Amino acid sequence: MEAKLGNYSKSIIYEEAGKFEETRFEKKHNVIFSNSTEGSIKVAIEIADLIRAKKSKGETCVLGLATGSSPIKVYEELVRMHNEEGLSFSNVVTFNLDEYYPMTKNNIQSYHYFMHEHLFNHVDIAPENIHIPDGTVDASELHQYCVNYEAEIDKRGGIDLQLLGIGRTGHIGFNEPGSHFNSETRSITLDYITRADAAPSFLGIDNVPKKAITMGIKTVRKAKRIILLAWGQNKASIVKKTIEGNISSKVPATYLQHHKNTTFILDIEAASELTRINTPWLVSTCNWDEKLRSKAIIWLCKKTGKSILKLIDEDYNNNGMSSLLAVEGSSYDLNIKMFNKVQHTITGWPGGKPNADDTSRPERAIPTKKRVLIFSPHPDDDVISMGGTFDRLVSQGHEVHIAYQTSGNIAVSDYEALKFAEVSKEMRCNKDNSYITTIIEQIKSKNENSIDTVEVRKLKGIIRQRESLAATRYLGVSDENVHFLNLPFYETGGIKKNPLGKEDIKIMCEIIEDIKPHQIYAAGDLADPHGTHRVSLNALFNALENLKKKPFMNDCWVWLYRGAWQEWEIHEIDMAVPMSPDQVLRKRKAIFFHQSQKDGVMFQGNDIREFWMRAEDRNTKTAQKYNELGLADYAAMEAFVRWYY
Ligand code: F6R
């Protein structure tokens, strides 16, 4: 069954769940778009239409607004419509959902700052029509302040359209698990997961406020129309719970199931765990292509606790897969084909096995010595994500180049930078050390809102370069094969990066043209907290597009690994490289050279383990999953998907 994707040209029409939904599992109307940009534009159109319709009747339009990453493109599009299509906000009144507490208005992390930066500063809204909970209100007055906020919404006629994001705890606004169905605007203690998700922007979880002011569930429910936005893999699990689960205070967003006019706008990644997308054979007839077959059979093994070769007809028939059985004839044939397919993904020769029949191997035997270019978004993803394969490629005699796409400078703590600056100063003894003294002063005088100076960023970048060189030397790569690209999109000094520019793509094209690789490895990881991996991957895709007609590209295969936050699903894997226990230790040691990322890493998301622990755990689990399917029992495995460009 095809996922019903939102149609770009149609407007979003609300359909009541239970009456129109194609699957018995879904309890909330949702529309899935192929990407967040398309979804955001659709939502912006609905908002603009409402503003205009109200204006033509001489009415004000009351909008409930959200912050966070989800609505950014909606605001971008509204600003564009204001600039290019004359959309006026003169009849618009806004109420924001929430604000951290305590929080000053000019703090760059405040929602006050966010809203002005992304929307209010760029449109013609009257300042007196803007309402954002005030994070500076004295604690003794907070209760009354919240009562007044609620009353002000009612006084303005109630919210016509409420925009929401969803937190991984299932919060809407900051209504964390446990919130009451009838809650109104109030102060609330934030969940740990919410604070961990906010930690990157605050440069560490310790800086994230513990409390917030938020509109309540009832406040949100009173809105005439609600649109909830969710983008990306990170949201997939909570989206499933919210749309398919029972209403519960443990997932406050499920309260929206009671609301008569709510639509969830999703991209395909956020929708990926919905039953009709993830396991379509359970809800409908399927078009059994290769990919879906693999996915279904591996799912069936997990569901039944059996290895591939032990599945029987009954297992297929009882789990919505009888049509697959009908196509193939018998479980025996299906099982053998699937087993061979998975078996053929395993290779100890990631660069191809010389002088061997390669018809059922993931890589070509020829040329026997390949030029390999490993792209690493940050200076450490190479060893974290594919350290074992990297090691094999070098030891099997290939010409291995590493290209670090970004400097990774913002992930070096001030303590670490200060340590190196002081060492450097002391080494200079009586010589002129004014430059390094300036750097030391700059680090020491940093305050909560300031970004690093260019000099401090340079120092932090050098620290990461030297750590990388230590690791690549350990794995046997000579320094001239290590390339630091310092892509400009990353160099803002802050968490928010610039959009990908021509210069980024030019740099990527140059290195590929220069090396003319037979193999490119790159991070296909779409879930890193700051989006740097995603942008780095887009930089590669753009470069491949520019270069693909060049003759040398006919010989260039692209393999995607996943970063520290995610692993490929078994059915997606095209090449699995096993590691012995000794190789696991070598990989660990290579990761250890990245000392600035050890012991209290700055940007770890909500997983408190260090990168080497996560990498080992992930590689061990991949090996276990292969073993559970009935394949050989390896200590660990790294996984790759081939990208066809
Ligand atoms: C923000 C808000 C929150 C966010 C949610 C998702 O005003 O109310 O509920 O919508 O935490 O945040 P992002 O969009 O950053 O994933």
Side-chain angles (χ1 to χ4, degrees), residues 537-578:
L537 185 61
N538 281 339
L540 173 65
F541 288 164
N542 276 285
L544 293 175
E545 194 53 37
N546 289 353
L547 296 174
K548 70 181 181 195
K549 298 223 167 72
K550 306 246 172 189
F552 75 89
M553 291 299 281
N554 291 333
D555 283 335
C556 178
W557 287 20
V558 176
W559 293 99
L560 299 181
Y561 59 84
R562 283 218 154 152
W565 291 273
Q566 226 183 1
E567 183 53 288
W568 297 111
E569 297 288 333
I570 299 294
H571 69 272
E572 296 172 312
I573 297 172
D574 293 312
M575 176 161 76
V577 181

Short mmCIF file of all heavy atoms in Angstrom, two decimals, residues 537-578:
data_model
loop_
_atom_site.label_atom_id
_atom_site.label_comp_id
_atom_site.label_asym_id
_atom_site.label_seq_id
_atom_site.Cartn_x
_atom_site.Cartn_y
_atom_site.Cartn_z
N LEU A 537 25.63 15.80 4.37
CA LEU A 537 25.20 14.82 3.37
C LEU A 537 24.64 15.54 2.14
O LEU A 537 24.92 15.16 1.00
CB LEU A 537 24.13 13.90 3.98
CG LEU A 537 23.65 12.74 3.12
CD1 LEU A 537 24.80 11.79 2.79
CD2 LEU A 537 22.54 11.96 3.83
N ASN A 538 23.87 16.60 2.39
CA ASN A 538 23.34 17.37 1.26
C ASN A 538 24.49 17.97 0.44
O ASN A 538 24.40 18.06 -0.79
CB ASN A 538 22.43 18.50 1.74
CG ASN A 538 21.06 17.95 2.09
OD1 ASN A 538 20.69 16.88 1.61
ND2 ASN A 538 20.33 18.65 2.92
N ALA A 539 25.55 18.37 1.13
CA ALA A 539 26.70 18.92 0.42
C ALA A 539 27.26 17.85 -0.52
O ALA A 539 27.61 18.13 -1.68
CB ALA A 539 27.77 19.38 1.41
N LEU A 540 27.32 16.61 -0.03
CA LEU A 540 27.83 15.52 -0.88
C LEU A 540 26.87 15.27 -2.05
O LEU A 540 27.30 15.14 -3.20
CB LEU A 540 28.01 14.24 -0.05
CG LEU A 540 28.37 13.00 -0.87
CD1 LEU A 540 29.74 13.15 -1.53
CD2 LEU A 540 28.34 11.73 -0.03
N PHE A 541 25.58 15.20 -1.75
CA PHE A 541 24.61 14.93 -2.82
C PHE A 541 24.70 16.00 -3.91
O PHE A 541 24.63 15.70 -5.10
CB PHE A 541 23.18 14.87 -2.26
CG PHE A 541 22.90 13.64 -1.43
CD1 PHE A 541 21.80 13.57 -0.60
CD2 PHE A 541 23.74 12.53 -1.49
CE1 PHE A 541 21.54 12.43 0.16
CE2 PHE A 541 23.49 11.38 -0.74
CZ PHE A 541 22.38 11.34 0.08
N ASN A 542 24.83 17.25 -3.49
CA ASN A 542 24.97 18.33 -4.47
C ASN A 542 26.22 18.16 -5.32
O ASN A 542 26.20 18.35 -6.54
CB ASN A 542 25.04 19.69 -3.76
CG ASN A 542 23.66 20.22 -3.44
OD1 ASN A 542 22.95 20.69 -4.32
ND2 ASN A 542 23.26 20.12 -2.20
N ALA A 543 27.32 17.78 -4.65
CA ALA A 543 28.58 17.59 -5.37
C ALA A 543 28.45 16.44 -6.36
O ALA A 543 28.90 16.53 -7.51
CB ALA A 543 29.71 17.34 -4.38
N LEU A 544 27.80 15.35 -5.93
CA LEU A 544 27.64 14.20 -6.83
C LEU A 544 26.81 14.58 -8.06
O LEU A 544 27.10 14.17 -9.18
CB LEU A 544 26.95 13.04 -6.08
CG LEU A 544 27.75 12.39 -4.96
CD1 LEU A 544 26.90 11.35 -4.23
CD2 LEU A 544 29.04 11.74 -5.47
N GLU A 545 25.81 15.39 -7.81
CA GLU A 545 24.96 15.85 -8.91
C GLU A 545 25.80 16.62 -9.93
O GLU A 545 25.68 16.42 -11.14
CB GLU A 545 23.85 16.71 -8.30
CG GLU A 545 22.67 17.03 -9.19
CD GLU A 545 22.02 15.80 -9.82
OE1 GLU A 545 21.94 14.75 -9.15
OE2 GLU A 545 21.61 15.91 -10.99
N ASN A 546 26.67 17.48 -9.41
CA ASN A 546 27.51 18.29 -10.30
C ASN A 546 28.52 17.44 -11.08
O ASN A 546 28.90 17.78 -12.19
CB ASN A 546 28.31 19.34 -9.51
CG ASN A 546 27.40 20.43 -8.99
OD1 ASN A 546 26.22 20.47 -9.33
ND2 ASN A 546 27.93 21.32 -8.17
N LEU A 547 28.99 16.37 -10.43
CA LEU A 547 30.12 15.62 -11.02
C LEU A 547 29.72 14.36 -11.77
O LEU A 547 30.56 13.75 -12.44
CB LEU A 547 31.09 15.21 -9.89
CG LEU A 547 31.80 16.32 -9.12
CD1 LEU A 547 32.59 15.72 -7.97
CD2 LEU A 547 32.73 17.12 -10.03
N LYS A 548 28.45 13.97 -11.64
CA LYS A 548 28.12 12.60 -12.06
C LYS A 548 28.39 12.29 -13.53
O LYS A 548 28.56 11.12 -13.88
CB LYS A 548 26.69 12.23 -11.66
CG LYS A 548 25.59 12.93 -12.40
CD LYS A 548 24.27 12.43 -11.84
CE LYS A 548 23.14 13.10 -12.59
NZ LYS A 548 21.88 12.95 -11.90
N LYS A 549 28.48 13.31 -14.36
CA LYS A 549 28.73 13.03 -15.79
C LYS A 549 30.21 12.84 -16.09
O LYS A 549 30.59 12.43 -17.19
CB LYS A 549 28.17 14.17 -16.65
CG LYS A 549 26.67 14.33 -16.49
CD LYS A 549 25.97 14.56 -17.84
CE LYS A 549 24.48 14.41 -17.73
NZ LYS A 549 23.83 15.51 -17.00
N LYS A 550 31.08 13.13 -15.14
CA LYS A 550 32.52 12.97 -15.38
C LYS A 550 32.85 11.48 -15.49
O LYS A 550 32.34 10.67 -14.68
CB LYS A 550 33.34 13.56 -14.21
CG LYS A 550 32.99 15.01 -13.91
CD LYS A 550 34.16 15.90 -14.20
CE LYS A 550 33.72 17.34 -14.08
NZ LYS A 550 34.66 18.30 -14.52
N PRO A 551 33.72 11.11 -16.43
CA PRO A 551 33.99 9.68 -16.65
C PRO A 551 34.46 8.94 -15.39
O PRO A 551 34.02 7.81 -15.15
CB PRO A 551 35.10 9.70 -17.71
CG PRO A 551 34.99 11.03 -18.37
CD PRO A 551 34.40 11.97 -17.40
N PHE A 552 35.29 9.57 -14.57
CA PHE A 552 35.81 8.83 -13.41
C PHE A 552 34.69 8.44 -12.44
O PHE A 552 34.82 7.49 -11.66
CB PHE A 552 36.92 9.62 -12.68
CG PHE A 552 36.42 10.77 -11.85
CD1 PHE A 552 36.05 10.58 -10.51
CD2 PHE A 552 36.33 12.05 -12.38
CE1 PHE A 552 35.60 11.64 -9.74
CE2 PHE A 552 35.87 13.11 -11.61
CZ PHE A 552 35.51 12.91 -10.29
N MET A 553 33.56 9.15 -12.52
CA MET A 553 32.48 8.85 -11.58
C MET A 553 31.78 7.53 -11.91
O MET A 553 31.07 6.97 -11.07
CB MET A 553 31.45 10.00 -11.57
CG MET A 553 31.96 11.28 -10.95
SD MET A 553 32.44 11.09 -9.22
CE MET A 553 30.86 11.12 -8.40
N ASN A 554 31.97 7.03 -13.14
CA ASN A 554 31.38 5.73 -13.46
C ASN A 554 31.90 4.63 -12.55
O ASN A 554 31.25 3.61 -12.35
CB ASN A 554 31.71 5.34 -14.92
CG ASN A 554 30.99 6.25 -15.88
OD1 ASN A 554 29.94 6.77 -15.54
ND2 ASN A 554 31.57 6.45 -17.06
N ASP A 555 33.11 4.84 -12.04
CA ASP A 555 33.74 3.82 -11.19
C ASP A 555 33.57 4.12 -9.71
O ASP A 555 34.19 3.48 -8.87
CB ASP A 555 35.25 3.77 -11.48
CG ASP A 555 35.53 3.04 -12.76
OD1 ASP A 555 34.68 2.20 -13.13
OD2 ASP A 555 36.56 3.32 -13.38
N CYS A 556 32.81 5.14 -9.39
CA CYS A 556 32.76 5.57 -7.98
C CYS A 556 31.47 5.11 -7.31
O CYS A 556 30.37 5.51 -7.70
CB CYS A 556 32.87 7.10 -7.95
SG CYS A 556 32.77 7.75 -6.29
N TRP A 557 31.61 4.27 -6.31
CA TRP A 557 30.45 3.78 -5.55
C TRP A 557 30.37 4.56 -4.23
O TRP A 557 31.39 4.82 -3.61
CB TRP A 557 30.58 2.29 -5.23
CG TRP A 557 30.38 1.39 -6.42
CD1 TRP A 557 30.48 1.73 -7.74
CD2 TRP A 557 30.05 0.00 -6.39
NE1 TRP A 557 30.23 0.65 -8.53
CE2 TRP A 557 29.96 -0.44 -7.73
CE3 TRP A 557 29.83 -0.92 -5.37
CZ2 TRP A 557 29.66 -1.76 -8.06
CZ3 TRP A 557 29.53 -2.24 -5.69
CH2 TRP A 557 29.44 -2.65 -7.04
N VAL A 558 29.14 4.85 -3.83
CA VAL A 558 28.97 5.62 -2.58
C VAL A 558 28.32 4.73 -1.52
O VAL A 558 27.29 4.09 -1.76
CB VAL A 558 28.08 6.86 -2.83
CG1 VAL A 558 27.83 7.61 -1.52
CG2 VAL A 558 28.75 7.79 -3.85
N TRP A 559 28.95 4.70 -0.36
CA TRP A 559 28.44 3.91 0.77
C TRP A 559 28.10 4.85 1.93
O TRP A 559 28.93 5.69 2.30
CB TRP A 559 29.50 2.90 1.24
CG TRP A 559 29.77 1.83 0.23
CD1 TRP A 559 30.81 1.77 -0.65
CD2 TRP A 559 28.98 0.66 -0.01
NE1 TRP A 559 30.72 0.65 -1.43
CE2 TRP A 559 29.60 -0.06 -1.05
CE3 TRP A 559 27.81 0.14 0.57
CZ2 TRP A 559 29.10 -1.27 -1.53
CZ3 TRP A 559 27.30 -1.05 0.09
CH2 TRP A 559 27.94 -1.75 -0.96
N LEU A 560 26.92 4.68 2.49
CA LEU A 560 26.53 5.55 3.61
C LEU A 560 26.59 4.78 4.92
O LEU A 560 26.04 3.67 5.04
CB LEU A 560 25.12 6.08 3.40
CG LEU A 560 24.88 6.93 2.14
CD1 LEU A 560 23.42 7.41 2.08
CD2 LEU A 560 25.82 8.13 2.09
N TYR A 561 27.26 5.37 5.89
CA TYR A 561 27.22 4.82 7.26
C TYR A 561 26.34 5.71 8.09
O TYR A 561 25.94 6.79 7.66
CB TYR A 561 28.63 4.75 7.85
CG TYR A 561 29.36 6.08 7.95
CD1 TYR A 561 29.15 6.93 9.04
CD2 TYR A 561 30.27 6.49 6.96
CE1 TYR A 561 29.82 8.15 9.13
CE2 TYR A 561 30.93 7.70 7.05
CZ TYR A 561 30.70 8.52 8.14
OH TYR A 561 31.34 9.73 8.23
N ARG A 562 26.03 5.28 9.28
CA ARG A 562 25.23 6.14 10.15
C ARG A 562 26.04 6.59 11.34
O ARG A 562 26.92 5.89 11.82
CB ARG A 562 23.96 5.41 10.60
CG ARG A 562 22.96 5.42 9.46
CD ARG A 562 21.57 5.59 9.94
NE ARG A 562 20.73 6.19 8.92
CZ ARG A 562 19.43 6.00 8.83
NH1 ARG A 562 18.82 5.23 9.69
NH2 ARG A 562 18.73 6.60 7.89
N GLY A 563 25.74 7.78 11.83
CA GLY A 563 26.54 8.39 12.90
C GLY A 563 26.23 7.82 14.27
O GLY A 563 25.67 6.74 14.40
N ALA A 564 26.58 8.59 15.27
CA ALA A 564 26.52 8.07 16.64
C ALA A 564 25.09 7.92 17.15
O ALA A 564 24.87 7.32 18.20
CB ALA A 564 27.29 9.00 17.56
N TRP A 565 24.12 8.46 16.44
CA TRP A 565 22.78 8.49 17.02
C TRP A 565 21.82 7.44 16.49
O TRP A 565 20.71 7.31 16.95
CB TRP A 565 22.17 9.89 16.81
CG TRP A 565 22.85 10.92 17.64
CD1 TRP A 565 22.54 11.25 18.93
CD2 TRP A 565 23.96 11.72 17.28
NE1 TRP A 565 23.40 12.21 19.38
CE2 TRP A 565 24.28 12.52 18.39
CE3 TRP A 565 24.72 11.84 16.12
CZ2 TRP A 565 25.32 13.45 18.38
CZ3 TRP A 565 25.76 12.75 16.11
CH2 TRP A 565 26.04 13.54 17.23
N GLN A 566 22.22 6.71 15.49
CA GLN A 566 21.26 5.87 14.77
C GLN A 566 21.98 4.74 14.06
O GLN A 566 23.16 4.86 13.80
CB GLN A 566 20.65 6.75 13.68
CG GLN A 566 19.17 6.70 13.54
CD GLN A 566 18.75 7.58 12.37
OE1 GLN A 566 19.56 8.19 11.69
NE2 GLN A 566 17.47 7.62 12.13
N GLU A 567 21.28 3.65 13.75
CA GLU A 567 21.87 2.61 12.90
C GLU A 567 20.88 2.25 11.81
O GLU A 567 19.67 2.45 11.97
CB GLU A 567 22.23 1.38 13.75
CG GLU A 567 22.92 0.27 12.99
CD GLU A 567 24.17 0.71 12.21
OE1 GLU A 567 24.04 1.40 11.18
OE2 GLU A 567 25.27 0.34 12.64
N TRP A 568 21.38 1.76 10.70
CA TRP A 568 20.48 1.30 9.65
C TRP A 568 19.65 0.13 10.17
O TRP A 568 20.12 -0.67 10.98
CB TRP A 568 21.28 0.83 8.43
CG TRP A 568 22.08 1.90 7.77
CD1 TRP A 568 23.44 2.00 7.75
CD2 TRP A 568 21.58 3.02 7.02
NE1 TRP A 568 23.82 3.12 7.05
CE2 TRP A 568 22.69 3.77 6.59
CE3 TRP A 568 20.31 3.46 6.68
CZ2 TRP A 568 22.56 4.93 5.84
CZ3 TRP A 568 20.18 4.62 5.94
CH2 TRP A 568 21.29 5.34 5.53
N GLU A 569 18.45 0.00 9.65
CA GLU A 569 17.64 -1.19 9.93
C GLU A 569 18.28 -2.35 9.16
O GLU A 569 18.85 -2.14 8.08
CB GLU A 569 16.21 -1.00 9.41
CG GLU A 569 15.45 0.14 10.07
CD GLU A 569 15.06 -0.17 11.49
OE1 GLU A 569 14.91 -1.36 11.81
OE2 GLU A 569 14.94 0.78 12.28
N ILE A 570 18.15 -3.57 9.68
CA ILE A 570 18.80 -4.71 9.04
C ILE A 570 18.37 -4.87 7.57
O ILE A 570 19.19 -5.14 6.70
CB ILE A 570 18.50 -6.02 9.82
CG1 ILE A 570 19.03 -5.92 11.25
CG2 ILE A 570 19.08 -7.25 9.10
CD1 ILE A 570 20.53 -5.83 11.39
N HIS A 571 17.09 -4.64 7.30
CA HIS A 571 16.63 -4.85 5.92
C HIS A 571 17.19 -3.79 4.96
O HIS A 571 17.13 -3.97 3.74
CB HIS A 571 15.10 -4.86 5.85
CG HIS A 571 14.47 -3.53 6.12
ND1 HIS A 571 14.14 -3.09 7.38
CD2 HIS A 571 14.15 -2.52 5.29
CE1 HIS A 571 13.63 -1.89 7.31
NE2 HIS A 571 13.62 -1.50 6.05
N GLU A 572 17.72 -2.70 5.51
CA GLU A 572 18.27 -1.66 4.63
C GLU A 572 19.73 -1.92 4.26
O GLU A 572 20.25 -1.36 3.30
CB GLU A 572 18.20 -0.29 5.32
CG GLU A 572 16.80 0.19 5.63
CD GLU A 572 16.80 1.45 6.49
OE1 GLU A 572 17.52 1.49 7.51
OE2 GLU A 572 16.08 2.39 6.16
N ILE A 573 20.41 -2.74 5.05
CA ILE A 573 21.87 -2.87 4.93
C ILE A 573 22.29 -3.57 3.63
O ILE A 573 21.78 -4.64 3.30
CB ILE A 573 22.43 -3.63 6.17
CG1 ILE A 573 22.15 -2.83 7.44
CG2 ILE A 573 23.92 -3.93 6.00
CD1 ILE A 573 22.48 -3.56 8.73
N ASP A 574 23.24 -2.98 2.93
CA ASP A 574 23.79 -3.59 1.71
C ASP A 574 25.17 -4.20 1.97
O ASP A 574 25.61 -5.07 1.23
CB ASP A 574 23.94 -2.54 0.60
CG ASP A 574 22.59 -2.04 0.12
OD1 ASP A 574 21.71 -2.88 -0.14
OD2 ASP A 574 22.40 -0.81 0.03
N MET A 575 25.86 -3.68 2.97
CA MET A 575 27.18 -4.25 3.28
C MET A 575 27.36 -4.23 4.81
O MET A 575 27.17 -3.20 5.45
CB MET A 575 28.30 -3.43 2.62
CG MET A 575 29.70 -3.92 2.99
SD MET A 575 30.97 -3.35 1.82
CE MET A 575 31.15 -1.64 2.30
N ALA A 576 27.69 -5.38 5.37
CA ALA A 576 27.92 -5.48 6.82
C ALA A 576 29.34 -5.99 7.02
O ALA A 576 29.68 -7.06 6.52
CB ALA A 576 26.92 -6.43 7.45
N VAL A 577 30.15 -5.20 7.70
CA VAL A 577 31.56 -5.57 7.87
C VAL A 577 31.77 -6.06 9.30
O VAL A 577 31.65 -5.28 10.25
CB VAL A 577 32.47 -4.36 7.56
CG1 VAL A 577 33.94 -4.74 7.70
CG2 VAL A 577 32.19 -3.81 6.17
N PRO A 578 32.06 -7.36 9.46
CA PRO A 578 32.22 -7.89 10.80
C PRO A 578 33.54 -7.47 11.43
O PRO A 578 34.52 -7.20 10.73
CB PRO A 578 32.18 -9.41 10.61
CG PRO A 578 32.23 -9.66 9.16
CD PRO A 578 32.22 -8.38 8.41
#
